[in-house]
Amino acid sequence: MVKLTGHKKIKTAVFISGAGSNLKSLIKFSKIKSAPISINLIISNTNKAKGLKYANFFNIKKKIFTFKNIKHSEKNILKLLKREKIKFICLAGFMKILTSNFIKKFDGKITNIHPSLLPKYKGLNTHERAIKNKEKFTGCTVHYVTAKLDSGKIIIQTKVNITVKDNSKSLAKKVLKQEHKLYPAAILKVFN
Ligand code: GRF
């Protein structure tokens, strides 16, 4: 648990690899007066991440680390996080797996959003697998990040119904809509 001291917002970095719709929802949330975090840095493993546009739009510093050499990238990320006084990390569609060494340095201060009701459907293609298994519902989870993939302590979850009409694309859309509410709710829970 991370406790909020005083009224200063916790400097937060968001790690992305894709569209960045969760990043956008976190930025919007962070601008609310009572939000416990401010988004001060956006990190991506690829310059192709569409979500990087929000760095320009909201005037937030961004930096790309290729992760071709994981240790090297993580070392440089840690340096940058220190320089920018970042105290909290939100993974939001970040497609690289951080090493336990990195996670230890930010122990209990990294969260991730995952498009399933963990512990069900860890990893990729969650919606496809949920439909294939004839699940009646799925959802999304925000959890703390530990060295074991998608296995850290669950902070909060939302259920989403699966109808007979759903395919993985429609389901992803429905779940993503809930994710945008869930991540801010998780942050409030973490800092309260
Ligand atoms: C989300 O569904 C998230 O749960 C998963 O990747 C997707 C990222 O979407 N890990 P976006 O980049 O935030 O739009």
Side-chain angles (χ1 to χ4, degrees):
M1 282 293 247
V2 192
K3 290 284 166 208
L4 191 58
T5 47
H7 296 292
K8 272 206 167 153
K9 294 192 180 189
I10 306 280
K11 289 193 178 201
T12 299
V14 182
F15 288 29
I16 63 165
S17 301
S21 66
N22 279 293
L23 163 67
K24 187 184 172 199
S25 91
L26 284 171
I27 295 172
K28 288 203 156 171
F29 164 70
S30 73
K31 293 193 180 293
I32 298 169
K33 201 169 172 237
S34 59
I37 60 165
S38 58
I39 310 297
N40 300 80
L41 181 64
I42 298 165
I43 285 180
S44 179
N45 61 301
T46 166
N47 60 14
K48 292 196 173 68
K50 294 223 168 74
L52 288 169
K53 68 179 179 210
Y54 297 118
N56 304 334
F57 191 81
F58 291 103
N59 196 21
I60 300 169
K61 190 169 198 160
K62 67 166 183 225
K63 186 97 183 152
I64 290 140
F65 296 89
T66 62
F67 276 74
K68 276 186 184 133
N69 178 331
I70 298 180
K71 277 194 178 162
H72 187 251
S73 286
E74 286 189 342
K75 200 175 139 216
N76 287 326
I77 291 175
L78 284 169
K79 264 195 216 160
L80 179 62
L81 295 175
K82 199 168 177 190
R83 203 184 319 135
E84 298 297 323
K85 300 188 168 58
I86 300 294
K87 302 286 185 244
F88 195 74
I89 296 172
C90 295
L91 306 184
F94 185 62
M95 300 305 284
K96 292 286 174 188
I97 295 172
L98 298 165
T99 67
S100 59
N101 176 60
F102 183 96
I103 293 165
K104 255 187 245 152
K105 300 255 162 64
F106 268 79
D107 196 24
K109 292 176 183 124
I110 311 178
T111 55
N112 179 43
I113 190 154
H114 183 78
S116 79
L117 289 175
L118 290 173
K120 277 195 164 179
Y121 305 114
K122 295 173 183 176
L124 298 174
N125 307 318
T126 55
H127 305 309
E128 262 165 46
R129 289 187 281 146
I131 290 171
K132 213 171 172 186
N133 286 345
K134 303 199 177 357
E135 300 279 7
K136 293 275 178 283
F137 55 85
T138 182
C140 42
T141 304
V142 178
H143 63 94
Y144 287 103
V145 172
T146 56
K148 218 170 152 210
L149 185 71
D150 298 331
S151 299
K153 189 171 177 261
I154 290 168
I155 299 163
I156 193 168
Q157 296 183 302
T158 302
K159 263 190 191 178
V160 174
N161 287 322
I162 303 177
T163 69
V164 283
K165 284 184 187 161
D166 272 319
N167 55 36
S168 61
K169 206 176 157 197
S170 69
L171 192 54
K173 208 172 157 190
K174 278 203 282 189
V175 172
L176 199 56
K177 210 171 155 196
Q178 294 307 315
E179 289 183 40
H180 299 154
K181 293 184 211 160
L182 194 68
Y183 221 155
I187 299 298
L188 285 175
K189 221 174 152 188
V190 164
F191 291 102
N192 276 323

